[in-house]
Amino acid sequence: MADLIIFLVLLAMGYGFGRYAEAKHYKSIIQREAEFRDIPVVTSKFPPLTKPLSDVELVTGSVVISVDYFKRFIAGLRNLVGGRVTAYETLLDRARREAILRMQEEARAFGGYIIFNVKLETSSIHKGRKNSIGAVEVLAYGTVLIKQ
Amino acid sequence: MLVTNIEIIPGKRVKEHLGLVQGSSVRAKHLGRDIMAGLKNIFGGELKGYTELLQESREEAMERMIQQAEAVGANAVLNVRFSTSSIAAGAAELFAYGTAVVLE
């Protein structure tokens, strides 16, 4: 009985705090994306030829984000029937956008104006079997062109 | 030492290729961070301790790669790639590799 109560409390806390944190995070992501729109992020390998010659520098941005208790439970249920696991989709979306934003922040600190050859790398972080941590790490890295 | 993940530096020519250089670092998380991460697992959100830890070990891996490049007499490392892998429960390896070159 006590176990069930703890489980329900954790579920409710996960739902409440998790939703709040996600809404807040998305709001901040959208706001900062608008702010950094002047530093384009492109995946092409070579710098655009129209740009003047300039210095280059490696920039990185990384973030580790964890999923909340409620979403992990929902994802576990989804495992039974199969299909899209929307709970984890938003987690990865948030992590990728946040990593790119941090990379852009670093680029701005260098005084750069475009980031190209951007690569994204995702890895999951586990902590054993029993109390596994459903967290992902996303690393974004690229080369920034700096005005001379 | 110039470190980038592109193959051609605008306006500079590669004089000599010196081959692959690499650096890696394996880190484990300490208990305090694990407890915080456990809490965050209920509420969701960013695990700042882990972000910092991985950032630090990535910098160390890059530092080791740069040392190796300096040892072979390079002045730049091009086409740098990163990779992360978890070896055991609670430990992660951060790996950086690239091509050491001499730029004009």
Side-chain angles (χ1 to χ4, degrees), chain B residues 2-23:
Chain B
L2 182 79
V3 180
T4 114
N5 76 337
I6 49 173
E7 289 153 44
I8 296 164
I9 305 290
K12 282 176 188 152
R13 217 169 60 84
V14 174
K15 213 161 68 179
E16 201 183 341
H17 275 277
L18 296 168
L20 196 74
V21 284
Q22 50 183 293

Side-chain angles (χ1 to χ4, degrees), chain B residues 28-39:
Chain B
K29 310 154 253 201
H30 70 70
L31 196 68
R33 277 173 170 160
D34 268 355
I35 291 168
M36 275 307 291
L39 280 180

Side-chain angles (χ1 to χ4, degrees), chain A residues 10 13-14 17-18 45-47 53-54 56-58 60 62-69 72 94 102 116-117 119 121 123 125-128 132-135 137 139 141-143 145, chain B residues 1-12 29 34-35 37-38 40-48 50-51 54-55 58 62 79-86 88-90 94:
Chain A
L10 285 179
M13 284 203 317
F17 286 101
K45 248 184 170 177
F46 301 103
L53 291 182
S54 41
V56 293
E57 198 76 49
L58 187 75
T60 61
S62 74
V63 65
V64 181
I65 293 191
S66 161
V67 72
D68 61 61
Y69 198 87
R72 189 150 349 102
R94 274 160 67 197
R102 287 187 184 177
F116 64 98
N117 200 10
K119 302 262 194 280
E121 203 210 317
S123 54
I125 294 174
H126 294 287
K127 192 194 126 192
S132 72
I133 288 184
E137 194 224 359
L139 166 71
Y141 59 105
T143 299
L145 286 185
Chain B
M1 179 67 65
L2 182 79
V3 180
T4 114
N5 76 337
I6 49 173
E7 289 153 44
I8 296 164
I9 305 290
K12 282 176 188 152
K29 310 154 253 201
D34 268 355
I35 291 168
K40 268 284 161 74
N41 250 335
I42 296 165
F43 303 129
E46 188 187 348
L47 308 176
K48 288 219 174 64
Y50 282 13
T51 307
L54 289 167
Q55 196 69 41
R58 186 164 297 118
M62 258 173 79
N79 212 355
V80 171
R81 297 272 185 281
F82 292 106
S83 98
T84 315
S85 51
S86 57
L94 283 295

Side-chain angles (χ1 to χ4, degrees), chain A residues 7 11 15 68-81 84-88:
Chain A
F7 171 73
L11 213 58
Y15 182 72
D68 61 61
Y69 198 87
F70 179 75
K71 283 194 168 183
R72 189 150 349 102
F73 176 70
I74 292 295
L77 286 184
R78 179 57 86 186
N79 256 339
L80 297 177
V81 290
R84 276 179 69 175
V85 190
T86 37
Y88 283 144

Side-chain angles (χ1 to χ4, degrees), chain A residues 23-99:
Chain A
K24 211 172 108 185
H25 193 199
Y26 262 124
K27 212 175 147 193
S28 124
I29 285 176
I30 288 163
Q31 189 207 331
R32 279 181 300 155
E33 270 178 354
E35 210 176 290
F36 284 114
R37 201 138 287 159
D38 56 323
I39 304 178
V41 175
V42 294
T43 51
S44 67
K45 248 184 170 177
F46 301 103
L49 292 169
T50 50
K51 302 282 183 193
L53 291 182
S54 41
D55 281 340
V56 293
E57 198 76 49
L58 187 75
V59 283
T60 61
S62 74
V63 65
V64 181
I65 293 191
S66 161
V67 72
D68 61 61
Y69 198 87
F70 179 75
K71 283 194 168 183
R72 189 150 349 102
F73 176 70
I74 292 295
L77 286 184
R78 179 57 86 186
N79 256 339
L80 297 177
V81 290
R84 276 179 69 175
V85 190
T86 37
Y88 283 144
E89 279 176 1
T90 55
L91 177 79
L92 285 159
D93 179 51
R94 274 160 67 197
R96 294 224 171 88
R97 285 163 85 171
E98 179 71 38

